[in-house]
Amino acid sequence: MSSFYFLVDCNNFYVSCERVFNAKLIGKPVVVLSNNDGCVVARSNEAKQWIPMGVPVYKVRGIIAQHQVKVCSSNYTLYGELSRRVMSILKKHAESMEIYSIDEAFLEYSDTSKTSSDWENLAIMIRDAIRQSLGIPVSIGVGRTKTLAKLANNQAKKEKYGSGFCLLDSPERIEVLLKKMDVQEVWGVGRRWAKNLKAYGIDSAWQLQQAPEKLIRQKFNIFLLRTKLELQDVRCLHLEHFTPPRKSIAVTRSFGRKIQNILELEQAVASYLTRLGEKLRLHHLKVKKFILFIQTSRFSKEEYYSKSIICTLQDYTNNTSQLILAGLNGLGQIYLSEFSYNKAGVVAIDLRAEDVHQGQLFSGVIESKAESDLMMAVDLLNRKYGKSSIHYAITGLRQDWAALSTQKSPNYLSSWEELLAVS
DNA sequence: TCTGGGGTCCTAGGACCC
DNA sequence: TCTGGGGTCCTAGGACCC
């Protein structure tokens, strides 16, 4: 007998986080918006009936007003902090655990003598522990494979007045659930593949489980084959106990308005590279190459332009001035003055741990201690006195091209100035 | 007027090399 | 004039996830 996986997933996580600190949001329809205040990225149960996931806000302004839906800008610092607390509670209840995303974790239990009701009691205990200490509701799906645990979790979330728990411990239960589930609800099957699968007559999760291996392998790929096997209760994916090293780190943003002027574009690129430098230093990484891209809006009627360039540093670095120098050089090569841009970004690739030294014998660039000390001092001051207290002049003072975030909740947990006052 | 951001992995085509 | 086969790298794009 193999072990069981519990997939614990926080319900409407961002909305639940906002509710922890603002009781007025409880029981009301609430949505949380993306960075740019552009799209809806989380909805409370009350809001789900009217507002689709991912919809641009301007399309649902009317509905928001009509039903008095509360609107929050996203506050990732707050969500990250609450996530850390959820995970530390889960860890106490698990034999081993993998943090899968900001609001989900897989727990593994190998005790095979437990009955169905033992598993349910364990799940209820975990759920109540998190609700009581943090006020965050969770749903729990249980299965022998990760894919089945995910699917069980989907089901647990659907049961409106149920326990938020679903267990798949027998072939009969698996069959009943898979027959109810559309193939697109399976973890790893997105919109495109669902459409292709349906063209082969595979509409439900059950039909995918039953589909010939040869078809899946030939018309799709090895990933989907693995998913199919996991639906058959054959374990292909295991718990990942350590987080693999990052392969890329990105800073990309849409602007609050369109930019045509290269000077403003330079400000944006320099700002993003400043942020990239901070992220690199935070993760103790250095970069040799980064992708710089600029693009016009995909939704605009005007001609679409999207161009990227790989900027190569002389040596691995996390020094902001060197990043900016290389970035501005790259920007000059891809910028065309006839377009109005709505987004830019930088993506660090070719990363290396900070402590690996491999000097370039002939490059003549050996990073001085003075330079890295300077970066450390800048990071320290910006953490202490707030973002961009110290910054490069090229990043601009006004930044009126930057996107807005108008409904943001305070950083209740991570900033002394914004701590919740109890009177 | 206003359509997110940050990841992973795979594939296909062209350039170039032997 | 005939124009192979296999490898790598680069670039762009597409699929998926949260």
Side-chain angles (χ1 to χ4, degrees), chain A residues 270-282:
Chain A
S271 304
Y272 299 174
L273 285 168
T274 302
R275 178 72 191 122
L276 184 66
E278 286 169 5
K279 281 188 172 183
L280 288 168
R281 296 191 291 274
L282 188 69

Side-chain angles (χ1 to χ4, degrees), chain A residues 41 110 112 146 158 193-194 196 202 226 230 256 335 341 358:
Chain A
V41 294
S110 56
T112 52
K146 283 180 160 182
K158 283 183 189 171
W193 280 8
N196 289 347
I202 298 167
R226 211 167 55 189
E230 288 243 325
Y335 170 78
Y341 301 88
Q358 195 177 59

Side-chain angles (χ1 to χ4, degrees), chain A residues 22-49:
Chain A
N22 185 352
K24 286 179 192 159
L25 301 176
I26 296 171
K28 305 260 172 58
V30 183
V31 294
V32 176
L33 307 184
S34 60
N35 257 356
N36 210 1
D37 277 355
C39 299
V40 172
V41 294
R43 305 160 298 159
S44 71
N45 288 343
E46 298 81 6
K48 282 180 184 174
Q49 53 183 314

Side-chain angles (χ1 to χ4, degrees), chain A residues 179-237:
Chain A
K179 283 182 170 167
K180 279 200 286 191
M181 290 281 183
D182 189 281
V183 72
Q184 208 192 306
E185 293 184 73
V186 174
W187 188 38
V189 179
R191 224 181 50 235
R192 293 306 186 91
W193 280 8
K195 200 178 155 200
N196 289 347
L197 283 165
K198 285 174 185 184
Y200 288 98
I202 298 167
D203 293 290
S204 66
W206 175 250
Q207 286 169 318
L208 176 59
Q209 199 238 49
Q210 295 285 308
E213 280 188 25
K214 208 173 149 191
L215 173 80
I216 300 301
R217 194 167 195 146
Q218 283 178 353
K219 301 294 178 188
F220 297 88
N221 63 17
I222 193 82
F223 286 96
L224 193 62
L225 181 59
R226 211 167 55 189
T227 299
K228 171 191 146 59
L229 291 169
E230 288 243 325
L231 289 176
Q232 290 173 340
D233 224 3
V234 176
R235 187 175 289 178
C236 303
L237 304 168

Side-chain angles (χ1 to χ4, degrees), chain A residues 2-3 5 96-98 100 106-108 144-147 187 226 230 234-242:
Chain A
S2 57
S3 56
Y5 289 138
S96 53
M97 168 168 124
E98 173 190 338
Y100 178 68
F106 287 101
L107 315 184
E108 185 171 11
R144 281 189 200 83
T145 69
K146 283 180 160 182
T147 306
W187 188 38
R226 211 167 55 189
E230 288 243 325
V234 176
R235 187 175 289 178
C236 303
L237 304 168
H238 297 86
L239 227 55
E240 287 176 26
H241 294 280
F242 63 95

Side-chain angles (χ1 to χ4, degrees), chain A residues 20 30 74 84 108 155 237 240 282 294 309 311 335 387:
Chain A
V20 167
V30 183
S74 43
R84 210 181 53 74
E108 185 171 11
Q155 178 60 26
L237 304 168
E240 287 176 26
L282 188 69
I294 52 177
I309 186 171
C311 304
Y335 170 78
K387 271 189 179 153

Side-chain angles (χ1 to χ4, degrees), chain A residues 163-367:
Chain A
S163 58
F165 170 75
C166 176
L167 170 68
L168 294 177
D169 61 346
S170 71
E172 295 75 27
R173 287 186 179 195
I174 292 172
E175 182 173 342
V176 168
L177 183 62
L178 260 50
K179 283 182 170 167
K180 279 200 286 191
M181 290 281 183
D182 189 281
V183 72
Q184 208 192 306
E185 293 184 73
V186 174
W187 188 38
V189 179
R191 224 181 50 235
R192 293 306 186 91
W193 280 8
K195 200 178 155 200
N196 289 347
L197 283 165
K198 285 174 185 184
Y200 288 98
I202 298 167
D203 293 290
S204 66
W206 175 250
Q207 286 169 318
L208 176 59
Q209 199 238 49
Q210 295 285 308
E213 280 188 25
K214 208 173 149 191
L215 173 80
I216 300 301
R217 194 167 195 146
Q218 283 178 353
K219 301 294 178 188
F220 297 88
N221 63 17
I222 193 82
F223 286 96
L224 193 62
L225 181 59
R226 211 167 55 189
T227 299
K228 171 191 146 59
L229 291 169
E230 288 243 325
L231 289 176
Q232 290 173 340
D233 224 3
V234 176
R235 187 175 289 178
C236 303
L237 304 168
H238 297 86
L239 227 55
E240 287 176 26
H241 294 280
F242 63 95
T243 36
R246 299 255 224 147
K247 299 200 166 158
S248 66
I249 294 185
V251 179
T252 71
R253 296 270 185 286
S254 299
F255 309 134
R257 59 166 167 83
K258 289 182 177 168
I259 293 185
Q260 189 160 14
N261 184 336
I262 193 166
L263 295 177
E264 289 183 323
L265 218 44
E266 284 178 345
Q267 289 183 6
V269 167
S271 304
Y272 299 174
L273 285 168
T274 302
R275 178 72 191 122
L276 184 66
E278 286 169 5
K279 281 188 172 183
L280 288 168
R281 296 191 291 274
L282 188 69
H283 290 98
H284 302 290
L285 291 169
K286 290 186 170 183
V287 63
K288 179 82 184 268
K289 291 178 185 171
F290 63 87
I291 299 167
L292 164 70
F293 71 84
I294 52 177
Q295 57 187 231
T296 61
S297 173
R298 243 176 247 279
F299 304 98
S300 161
K301 286 193 188 92
E302 292 150 40
E303 190 192 348
Y304 179 60
Y305 175 73
S306 169
K307 188 75 181 169
S308 69
I309 186 171
I310 295 187
C311 304
T312 306
L313 288 311
Q314 281 181 301
D315 196 3
Y316 287 89
T317 185
N318 53 24
N319 182 288
T320 301
S321 2
Q322 289 184 32
L323 297 176
I324 291 179
L325 219 56
L328 295 183
N329 180 33
L331 178 62
Q333 295 177 56
I334 56 175
Y335 170 78
L336 293 178
S337 59
E338 63 264 40
F339 292 104
S340 288
Y341 301 88
N342 89 312
K343 185 174 181 177
V346 289
V347 186
I349 52 175
D350 195 357
L351 297 165
R352 163 176 295 183
E354 199 170 41
D355 50 18
V356 178
H357 291 289
Q358 195 177 59
Q360 287 278 313
L361 200 50
F362 302 109
S363 75
V365 179
I366 294 171
E367 194 164 274

